[in-house]
Amino acid sequence: MISQISGWSWRQGVADLTVGENKMTNMGVSVVVVMLVSYWFLVVGKRLWRSNDGESRLPPGPRGLPLLGNLLTLEPGLHEYFAKLSKIHGPIVKLQLGRMRVIVLNSSSLAKEVLRDQDANFSDRDTPVAALAFTYGGKDIAWSHTDQEWRKLRRILIQELLSNTSLDSSYYTLRRPEVRRLVKDVYGMINTPVNVGEQVFAATLNMVLNMLWGGTIQGEDRVRVQTEFRQLVNEMIELSLKPNVSDFFPVLTRFDLQGIEKKAKKILLEMDRIFNCVIDEHLNLDFKSNAHKLRSTEDFLQFLLKLTEKHDLKTRVTMTQLKALLL
């Protein structure tokens, strides 16, 4: 009897201990679950609050569809479409184009503030796939990030190509002859339709090319190179204006669904071939010969080639940067 009572007491104690352990385990699990749920609500709620706070500080704009945003509501005449939006939402309008958020300014004063007064704050932006391919991976001034290299290239461009001294010195030797040639060509088209825009674009491009590499190439080769370059520039502009789904949804960039990146790289190869041809001709010139004496001014390419030979990284430019500056 005593052994039975002792056995029963032992089993009862074990059972009570097991029940106690189960209660402790259940309580521990409950505490862990409560902590995890609380942490989840805390993190998610904080993110949602930040998201809502960020959205509330954005400019107003039309509502868009999930994932697509306002892509399907865009109209062919963008300037007219933006004017309509400004009447509804004000001078600053937000558009969501896929994953790309676009801020539209419909005021000259706002454009001045963003592009000139606060250009350092607004200079960085998403680079289109085509522009990235055209500029050797964003090595030019327009699409590179505002770092030390960008400031160096900007200083070179402003001081050497766009300075008053450079523009004044190139007037009689480079620009005036091209304007006279334009007037002569248009005058020779009497009684025939004249595409003024095409003629002015060709003359302007020729003036820019003359300032870039001057008289490096002469005669028929000069006409051929400038014609090829002008055609490539037209193709580049046309390709850049095409909407690219990879710009709106970066996750699709690797697939190049429209083949825009492939076409852009093909155009860049042709551009690169022309640049190499002009650079080789420039390097092969004997600056002590009569060919150099014909140069009354130093062209931009000649100046850049000197910078590629410098050892100081603050003033030295690479050959890739040189070509990107010529674009």
Side-chain angles (χ1 to χ4, degrees):
M1 179 66 69
I2 295 175
S3 61
Q4 291 178 354
I5 294 175
S6 300
W8 179 85
S9 301
W10 179 81
R11 287 193 296 271
Q12 183 66 30
V14 172
D16 293 341
L17 182 61
T18 303
V19 172
E21 290 179 351
N22 290 336
K23 289 182 178 180
M24 291 291 293
T25 302
N26 293 335
M27 184 179 297
V29 172
S30 300
V31 171
V32 171
V33 170
V34 170
M35 291 178 63
L36 290 176
V37 172
S38 301
Y39 177 77
W40 184 84
F41 274 108
L42 181 64
V43 173
V44 173
K46 188 175 182 180
R47 289 183 178 178
L48 289 176
W49 179 82
R50 286 182 177 178
S51 177
N52 293 333
D53 183 63
E55 288 290 337
S56 64
R57 289 182 295 176
L58 288 173
R63 290 183 176 274
L65 298 174
L67 188 63
L68 296 178
N70 305 110
L71 278 174
L72 299 183
T73 60
L74 292 177
E75 299 178 4
L78 288 179
H79 59 291
E80 297 177 353
Y81 176 64
F82 293 154
K84 293 178 183 178
L85 293 180
S86 65
K87 294 179 180 179
I88 302 174
H89 303 285
I92 307 179
V93 181
K94 174 185 71 74
L95 293 176
Q96 190 70 37
L97 306 179
R99 299 294 298 172
M100 180 188 297
R101 181 174 292 164
V102 179
I103 305 299
V104 181
L105 304 178
N106 288 290
S107 168
S108 58
S109 59
L110 288 174
K112 175 184 175 183
E113 182 177 356
V114 170
L115 299 177
R116 194 186 71 175
D117 300 340
Q118 300 191 40
D119 60 331
N121 296 325
F122 296 99
S123 57
D124 286 336
R125 56 196 179 278
D126 295 332
T127 306
V129 174
L132 201 63
F134 284 140
T135 58
Y136 299 91
K139 294 295 191 298
D140 69 333
I141 292 179
W143 298 108
S144 61
H145 295 289
T146 54
D147 52 10
Q148 194 66 28
E149 288 295 314
W150 178 84
R151 294 184 180 90
K152 178 179 67 177
L153 297 178
R154 181 175 180 268
R155 183 177 63 253
I156 292 173
L157 184 66
I158 292 177
Q159 292 180 355
E160 297 301 328
L161 185 63
L162 302 179
S163 65
N164 292 332
T165 303
S166 177
L167 294 175
D168 291 340
S169 62
S170 65
Y171 174 72
Y172 290 100
T173 58
L174 300 177
R175 290 185 291 161
R176 189 169 70 169
E178 196 63 43
V179 173
R180 288 183 172 180
R181 187 180 297 110
L182 171 63
V183 174
K184 182 180 179 181
D185 292 342
V186 173
Y187 183 78
M189 299 179 184
I190 296 177
N191 298 326
T192 59
V194 178
N195 190 331
V196 178
E198 182 179 346
Q199 293 292 329
V200 172
F201 174 76
T204 303
L205 183 59
N206 288 337
M207 282 188 279
V208 172
L209 295 180
N210 287 335
M211 294 179 66
L212 291 179
W213 53 62
T216 303
I217 300 178
Q218 298 292 337
E220 295 181 357
D221 290 338
R222 175 179 178 273
V223 176
R224 177 182 56 81
V225 169
Q226 291 192 351
T227 302
E228 291 181 5
F229 192 85
R230 184 165 61 248
Q231 181 179 354
L232 290 173
V233 169
N234 286 328
E235 294 178 5
M236 183 184 297
I237 294 174
E238 182 180 354
L239 192 62
S240 299
L241 294 177
K242 287 185 177 180
N244 189 357
V245 67
S246 298
D247 294 331
F248 304 130
F249 302 98
V251 70
L252 301 176
T253 302
R254 67 180 68 181
F255 303 107
D256 193 21
L257 299 178
Q258 298 169 256
I260 290 181
E261 184 178 8
K262 181 180 179 181
K263 295 176 183 177
K265 290 181 177 180
K266 183 178 179 181
I267 294 175
L268 182 63
L269 286 177
E270 294 298 319
M271 286 278 195
D272 200 68
R273 178 182 58 81
I274 293 177
F275 289 153
N276 289 332
C277 175
V278 175
I279 291 172
D280 290 341
E281 287 289 336
H282 211 297
L283 293 175
N284 291 332
L285 283 177
D286 183 5
F287 295 107
K288 296 181 180 180
S289 65
N290 293 330
H292 176 61
K293 293 179 181 179
L294 294 176
R295 295 169 177 261
S296 57
T297 58
E298 181 183 57
D299 57 58
F300 190 54
L301 177 58
Q302 185 176 349
F303 172 78
L304 290 178
L305 287 174
K306 290 181 180 180
L307 293 182
T308 60
E309 301 174 356
K310 289 185 174 293
H311 299 287
D312 186 5
L313 295 178
K314 294 182 179 180
T315 56
R316 184 177 181 272
V317 298
T318 64
M319 192 60 69
T320 301
Q321 289 175 328
L322 183 151
K323 294 177 182 178
L325 284 173
L326 295 178
L327 284 172

